[in-house]
Amino acid sequence: MSRKDEDTKATEATVAEERIQTGRRGFLGAAGLVIGAGVVSTLPGCGPKPADSTPTPPATPTPTPEPAGGGAHASNEVPPGQLDTYYGLWSGGQSGEIRIVGVPSMRELKRIPVFNRDSATGWGRDDFSKQLLGNRESGDTHHVHPSYHGGTYDGRFIFVNDKAGGRVARVRCDTMECDHIVTVPFGHGTHGIFPQRHHTGLVFCNSEFQAPLPIPGTNPQDPHTYSALHTAIDGETMELKWQVLVDGNMDLCATDYEGKYSFATCYNSERGAHLADMMAAEKDFLYVFNLARITAAVAAGTDVIRLGDSPVPVVDARNANSPYVLRIPVPKSPHGVNVSPDGKYAIALGKLSPTASIVEIAKLDAAFAGTIQPIACIVAEPELGLGPLHTAFDGRGNAYTSIFIDSVICKWNIAKAIAAHTDDTIDPIVQKIDVHYQVGHTNASMSETKDADGKWLIALCKFSKDRFLNVGPLHPENDQLIDISGERMVLMHDGPTYPEPHDCVMVERSIINPIKMMTRNGPRFDMYEAWAREDGITLLTDTRVIRKSDTSVRVYMTSRAPSFALTEFNVKQGDSVQIIVTNQDSVEDLTHGFCMTHHDVNFVVNPQDTRSMTFVADRPGMFWYYCPWFCHALHLEMRGRMFVEARA
Ligand code: RUQ
Ligand code: CUA
């Protein structure tokens, strides 16, 4: 969410609180629909605020009664010993990580550290991740998207953004480890990202914040001279390919299914720096980037500029009539944009307007050619509720939109919404279901692919309020699981999560096939192998202490349950010590690690893996090192001693 959202979030939360006390459905007044969540009111909402603003203690949450006509699933329970149907890939938000959640059980299976430091695995402190992260210690991930082939996931990579540091990372699906992190040049608030869907081609990312960039006419004090960038990264090589310079910031990103366009919602087209200035105009935009024109311009050098000493070509598209970007006017402050699984529609959502703007993708060529106006690409604007943010799909022609202020998921029919545009007797709304509370993203199983299967939907609620045991002022988020397999949505499960998953995708499990034993390839192993060559070492078999200089030592050791091949070594005070451990075990799940006590050194070494960490032996004395992962009956005996000799 943007800072502006955050500003309004508190107000909205208060409003929401009042509504909870006065009968939440009443807020919509006559438009209030009977929703299968047990709270129904036809009273006008927003009654007087009680003098004591302490919320009334909630009654024991009543299970949501859902009548027949609901989904096909009696329960989301996955019995002991059985496996989930989907890999849920969750953004970890401010935690800077990715999480893997089994769906439908909602069991958290793993955390993949990316932009954060992780005490369990040593990520952020081991030599390889330190090289990727530099001195950055934190990140803010929002959007997780796997790579595609032929309109569906190909199970190779996962891409994720870091809004705080303007970065994009890639995780390999075989090892479930991050292998690349790219810093977007001049990427202020890199927010929406989306890969191309016809193959692992480009990954697009949006700068949410406009900023003073090194171009003529820029005044750091004057936000009206700021610009933003739509950036393309090659998903195979993680090289930066090009950037497009625009005015107006960009929020969410999406791609079509054919590789012709990328989309970005643009709010604050006024280029204001304060809330009031950001709300001055009547309309904002959905930007459509014409990829063929942009790549041709980059190849020919037309309209290409350079920013500072960045080598990345930048196409200047700030002119409102630029041939590279189509600006489709939409209601103020759009947020999400999602493309339907049939590839026909891009749906931009209002956030402040209660409507969705449905753009027919087939009309875009005509609009780029100038034969129709950009606004003629909008074929419907159904009214869905207050604060629509994101849309998911079931592959049966229905869309599911998260409605932040109303705290509902609105199920609606796309074809009916288009028909209703010219016939107001048609109601495209199928059902609204309460979610708890203040839903941000929503996503459905395989929703972002042509294989959207309409089984499960997640509502990622920003507030959980009374839904869980009180754990202090910082509440868990509530990622609710909804069965969408039937005509009516049925709420199945409350999923508490550590703040703050922004988005998630659900990938059918046969698509993702992680390995069980480390395959020793990729940039991390390239680094170890280069050291081993230099020192004449075979990593999988050799254990040796090598003094590299007067002040540095490299220690290679293997481990096999329940011992390290090296049980003692000597260094001198002040030495920089690099420990490189290779786990020789080839038994699935037989993970070891290495912890040097009192030196902040602790990392994981999986079967057949190697990992390294470097530290300074700054105090003389004897220090135990041990294996921190319970690997064997004699795990506690798996240890050794480092002797640090004082320097004269
Ligand atoms: S955003 S709650 Cu960072 Cu994806 Cu919409
Ligand atoms: Cu190896 Cu514990």
Side-chain angles (χ1 to χ4, degrees):
M1 283 188 50
S2 67
R3 186 182 309 164
K4 180 171 49 162
D5 291 339
E6 249 107 66
D7 286 341
T8 52
K9 187 165 151 179
T11 324
E12 287 161 345
T14 313
V15 172
E17 194 78 61
E18 287 171 6
R19 259 188 296 139
I20 286 158
Q21 293 167 18
T22 55
R24 295 180 53 256
R25 290 273 51 79
F27 192 72
L28 283 177
L33 299 156
V34 178
I35 292 153
V39 187
V40 180
S41 167
T42 50
L43 296 170
C46 291
K49 193 174 177 168
D52 175 7
S53 65
T54 313
T56 330
T60 311
T62 31
T64 305
E66 185 57 42
H73 305 278
S75 149
N76 70 308
E77 197 199 341
V78 175
Q82 297 204 13
L83 305 180
D84 280 289
T85 320
Y86 299 91
Y87 283 94
L89 305 174
W90 253 245
S91 153
Q94 303 90 322
S95 315
E97 65 201 9
I98 293 175
R99 299 177 195 153
I100 308 181
V101 174
V103 176
S105 75
M106 301 295 279
R107 297 177 292 196
E108 184 180 291
L109 305 177
K110 184 172 186 162
R111 296 181 171 201
I112 305 170
V114 181
F115 299 109
N116 54 322
R117 311 263 151 160
D118 180 41
S119 179
T121 56
W123 184 262
R125 290 181 298 115
D126 75 81
D127 293 321
F128 177 71
S129 57
K130 250 178 140 164
Q131 202 176 40
L132 291 188
L133 291 165
N135 52 15
R136 292 280 178 75
E137 308 236 346
S138 67
D140 182 16
T141 66
H142 287 229
H143 302 115
V144 183
H145 292 289
S147 53
Y148 285 81
H149 192 91
T152 194
Y153 299 132
D154 64 2
R156 298 174 65 212
F157 304 118
I158 302 166
F159 303 101
V160 65
N161 78 306
D162 166 30
K163 177 167 165 174
R167 293 173 293 178
V168 176
R170 184 175 82 177
V171 166
R172 288 166 57 159
C173 291
D174 59 348
T175 59
M176 288 297 179
E177 275 186 25
C178 173
D179 71 342
H180 280 280
I181 294 181
V182 175
T183 300
V184 177
F186 306 100
H188 292 258
T190 300
H191 184 221
I193 63 167
F194 216 103
Q196 287 192 298
R197 298 197 225 214
H198 59 306
H199 70 143
T200 310
L202 301 172
V203 181
F204 302 102
C205 51
N206 288 337
S207 313
E208 183 174 338
F209 304 135
Q210 298 154 98
L213 304 185
I215 38 180
T218 298
N219 170 1
Q221 297 303 321
D222 179 3
H224 296 96
T225 67
Y226 294 179
S227 326
L229 292 157
H230 184 67
T231 301
I233 297 169
D234 185 322
E236 292 284 352
T237 62
M238 293 300 280
E239 276 172 304
L240 288 148
K241 299 305 279 188
W242 46 254
Q243 300 184 284
V244 177
L245 184 70
V246 293
D247 48 359
N249 63 198
M250 289 168 289
D251 202 6
L252 272 292
C253 187
T255 57
D256 65 347
Y257 276 78
E258 289 175 45
K260 290 170 74 174
Y261 310 110
S262 55
F263 302 93
T265 47
C266 163
Y267 72 88
N268 189 22
S269 53
E270 305 89 336
R271 300 202 254 188
H274 307 286
L275 183 58
D277 310 328
M278 295 187 200
M279 307 301 299
E282 284 274 290
K283 289 260 177 189
D284 281 316
F285 298 96
L286 178 70
Y287 284 172
V288 185
F289 295 86
N290 186 316
L291 303 178
R293 287 187 185 175
I294 292 165
T295 39
V298 169
T302 327
D303 297 323
V304 169
I305 60 171
R306 301 275 165 177
L307 297 181
D309 53 13
S310 164
V312 183
V314 176
V315 176
D316 189 348
R318 285 173 297 166
N319 184 326
N321 300 314
S322 162
Y324 307 108
V325 184
L326 190 71
R327 290 160 165 83
I328 302 177
V330 295
K332 199 65 206 136
S333 288
H335 184 59
V337 53
N338 299 90
V339 172
S340 56
D342 57 11
K344 288 187 183 160
Y345 304 106
I347 299 173
L349 292 162
K351 195 164 71 180
L352 292 181
S353 157
T355 57
S357 302
I358 306 181
V359 168
E360 186 176 340
I361 291 174
K363 291 190 188 298
L364 293 172
D365 277 346
F368 270 110
T371 53
I372 61 171
Q373 287 298 313
I375 202 162
C377 299
I378 296 180
V379 292
E381 285 190 304
E383 191 170 322
L384 305 175
L386 295 180
L389 292 182
H390 297 279
T391 295
F393 305 96
D394 63 9
R396 301 188 294 268
N398 299 307
Y400 300 77
T401 297
S402 54
I403 314 279
F404 180 80
I405 299 176
D406 284 345
S407 282
V408 299
I409 298 290
C410 174
K411 176 178 178 181
W412 54 284
N413 184 277
I414 301 170
K416 281 190 182 171
I418 294 168
H421 204 48
T422 47
D423 176 355
D424 61 13
T425 64
I426 298 172
D427 181 5
I429 309 283
V430 180
Q431 183 199 1
K432 291 186 181 182
I433 188 170
D434 279 337
V435 288
H436 311 86
Y437 304 92
Q438 265 60 52
V439 58
H441 271 271
T442 187
N443 226 323
S445 42
M446 299 295 287
S447 172
E448 309 271 16
T449 75
K450 68 172 176 48
D451 298 328
D453 64 9
K455 295 283 200 296
W456 298 103
L457 180 119
I458 301 284
L460 295 112
C461 298
K462 304 287 188 188
F463 292 69
S464 63
K465 296 177 187 284
D466 52 6
R467 300 295 282 194
F468 304 112
L469 282 178
N470 180 2
V471 289
L474 177 60
H475 290 225
E477 312 288 297
N478 189 7
D479 297 346
Q480 292 190 301
L481 179 76
I482 294 170
D483 181 352
I484 56 166
S485 60
E487 178 60 16
R488 295 185 66 76
M489 298 179 277
V490 186
L491 178 61
M492 302 294 281
H493 180 84
D494 274 13
T497 44
Y498 191 64
E500 174 182 326
H502 286 252
D503 195 9
C504 69
V505 298
M506 281 154 275
V507 183
E508 203 281 317
R509 71 180 183 200
S510 67
I511 294 172
I512 293 187
N513 293 290
I515 52 171
K516 293 182 171 170
M517 212 68 65
M518 192 53 75
T519 45
R520 303 173 58 85
N521 61 34
R524 192 158 65 79
F525 283 93
D526 293 346
M527 189 179 84
Y528 305 140
E529 291 296 347
W531 298 334
R533 267 196 306 280
E534 184 185 299
D535 295 327
I537 292 283
T538 304
L539 290 166
L540 272 166
T541 52
D542 294 354
T543 289
R544 200 178 310 164
V545 181
I546 299 172
R547 178 156 287 280
K548 299 292 291 179
S549 78
D550 195 34
T551 54
S552 62
V553 175
R554 210 174 251 172
V555 179
Y556 292 94
M557 73 173 89
T558 57
S559 65
R560 182 185 287 276
S563 54
F564 292 111
L566 189 66
T567 51
E568 55 182 74
F569 63 91
N570 301 293
V571 298
K572 294 201 176 92
Q573 183 183 9
D575 276 344
S576 163
V577 182
Q578 185 180 34
I579 305 278
I580 304 163
V581 181
T582 298
N583 180 350
Q584 291 178 321
D585 281 302
S586 50
V587 176
E588 181 182 341
D589 208 3
L590 216 172
T591 291
H592 299 292
F594 181 93
C595 174
M596 178 65 74
T597 56
H598 304 294
H599 285 80
D600 207 18
V601 168
N602 191 349
F603 56 93
V604 71
V605 196
N606 288 305
Q608 295 289 299
D609 200 355
T610 296
R611 210 169 289 258
S612 72
M613 200 177 276
T614 305
F615 64 98
V616 176
D618 53 359
R619 284 148 289 168
M622 184 285 292
F623 300 93
W624 284 104
Y625 54 88
Y626 68 93
C627 168
W629 293 76
F630 212 113
C631 54
H632 190 276
L634 295 172
H635 150 79
L636 296 170
E637 285 78 356
M638 187 168 173
R639 49 173 150 142
R641 290 175 298 167
M642 174 176 75
F643 296 98
V644 184
E645 178 193 330
R647 285 216 197 234

